Amino acid sequence: TESLFRYNTLNCRNAISIPAPIGQKAGPKMIHVAIAGTPEGAANFIAALHALNAEGKDVLQETDFSGYDALILPGGADIDPALFGEEINGSRKIEPERDRRQIEILQHFLEAGKPILGVCKGHQLINVALGGKICQNIPQYEAHQWIEHDQAHDSHCRPDCFLAELYGTDFPINSAHHQAILEPVPGFRAIQWAPDGVLEAMVHEEKPIIGLQWHPERMCLAHRREDTVDGLPIFDYFLKVIRGEAKVF
C-alpha cells in the first residue's frame, strides 16, 4: 500500500504542470532562426546564434517555416543573372535551382513580416527578389574578392544607423565578393560603404530587413580576427530585432 501511494504521488507530480512561484519570471522564449543555405554554410551562423542562446537550422529542404521566428540568407555562389533579366556577363559559378529555392523561402518570410538578415549573396538576393539588380563583376573586384581567404578593408556608415551604434561610423570589415548592389530597390536605404564606394549594407525603411555585403559569421568566436571588428554584435542586434527590442532603421 505504501509503495502504491508513493507511485501514485510521483505520477501526479509528473502529470501536473506546476507554475513558477509568484514573482518569479519564466525564462525568455527560445528564438528559432531559419538559415536558407547549405549545412556547411550554415555552421558558422548556428555557432553565433548558439553563443547568444538562440537556435539556428538549415532549412533549404524544408517546407513548413511556421516554427521559425526569422530568416538568415547566407552567402554562396553567384546569382543567376536571368533572375534580373541579364545574360552572364561576369558571373562565375551559378546555381539556378538553389537561387530559386532561396527566393521561395525569402518570399515566405517577407509575406509573414518576419525579420530577415541577408549576408553577402543573401544581401544581393534580397535586392534581386524584390525587382532590383546587381553588378555581375564590379570594377573594384580585386580589393573585395575572396583570394584563398577573406580580405579586409575599412568602411564608413551613416551616423544614424544601427551599425554606428554598434561600431561607430568607421570600422574595418571582411570581404569575399566580386559582385555588388549598385542601387537598392525602393524601400531600402544604403547605410554603409567601402572606401571605393561599394555598397556594404542596407536596411528597409519600414520592415525588419538587413542586408550586409560582408560576413559577420566569419568575424566572431573561432573565426575572430584582429583586422576587423567582432561580428557577434550583429547577431545580438538581430536577435533584439526579432524580440521587438530594436529596429533596423
Side-chain angles (χ1 to χ4, degrees):
T1 303
E2 181 180 357
S3 59
L4 180 60
F5 173 79
R6 288 177 179 172
Y7 174 82
N8 288 335
T9 301
L10 180 60
N11 276 357
C12 287
R13 287 177 177 172
N14 289 340
I16 298 172
S17 177
I18 302 175
I22 296 175
Q24 179 178 324
K25 295 182 179 179
K29 173 184 175 294
M30 174 63 73
I31 299 295
H32 297 271
V33 181
I35 304 170
T38 63
E40 298 79 15
N44 291 331
F45 292 99
I46 292 172
L49 292 167
H50 181 74
L52 297 167
N53 300 312
E55 290 187 354
K57 183 182 178 184
D58 174 42
V59 299
L60 201 62
Q61 305 305 319
E62 296 188 18
T63 56
D64 182 5
F65 307 106
S66 59
Y68 296 97
D69 302 294
L71 171 68
I72 292 178
L73 276 175
D78 291 350
I79 299 171
D80 181 3
L83 290 170
F84 48 94
E86 295 183 5
E87 301 290 333
I88 293 179
N89 184 25
S91 293
R92 301 170 186 174
K93 180 182 178 182
I94 61 173
E95 298 172 326
E97 292 184 5
R98 179 171 295 173
D99 292 346
R100 285 156 180 77
R101 177 61 183 145
Q102 288 176 312
I103 289 176
E104 288 177 3
I105 296 172
L106 171 61
Q107 293 292 356
H108 173 88
F109 281 85
L110 286 170
E111 292 171 5
K114 295 181 179 180
I116 298 166
L117 171 62
V119 171
C120 199
K121 174 193 175 180
H123 157 74
Q124 299 168 9
L125 199 61
I126 291 171
N127 208 59
V128 170
L130 294 176
K133 296 187 176 186
I134 61 171
C135 177
Q136 294 190 46
N137 196 46
I138 57 175
Q140 315 95 315
Y141 74 91
E142 291 185 353
H144 293 265
Q145 69 180 350
W146 191 87
I147 307 177
E148 298 185 356
H149 54 77
D150 294 344
Q151 297 199 65
H153 60 70
D154 293 331
S155 73
H156 176 79
C157 71
R158 291 171 55 107
D160 58 351
C161 73
F162 82 95
L163 291 174
E165 179 182 334
L166 297 180
Y167 301 118
T169 56
D170 298 275
F171 55 95
I173 55 174
N174 62 0
S175 184
H177 66 101
H178 73 103
Q179 303 186 319
I181 296 171
L182 297 182
E183 185 69 30
V185 291
F188 283 84
R189 178 167 295 194
I191 62 169
Q192 182 193 19
W193 303 263
D196 55 17
V198 170
L199 178 65
E200 295 289 348
M202 66 180 186
V203 294
H204 198 278
E205 296 178 344
E206 297 178 359
K207 301 175 182 179
I209 307 173
I210 301 170
L212 301 178
Q213 185 59 69
W214 39 289
H215 287 267
E217 82 283 7
R218 299 207 295 254
M219 294 163 49
C220 64
L221 302 175
H223 301 280
R224 181 74 176 93
R225 46 192 294 172
E226 297 180 355
D227 56 351
T228 70
V229 293
D230 185 356
L232 198 61
I234 292 292
F235 299 101
D236 186 47
Y237 194 88
F238 187 53
L239 291 173
K240 289 179 180 177
V241 171
I242 296 169
R243 292 191 292 263
E245 299 171 358
K247 296 183 178 181
V248 304
F249 180 76

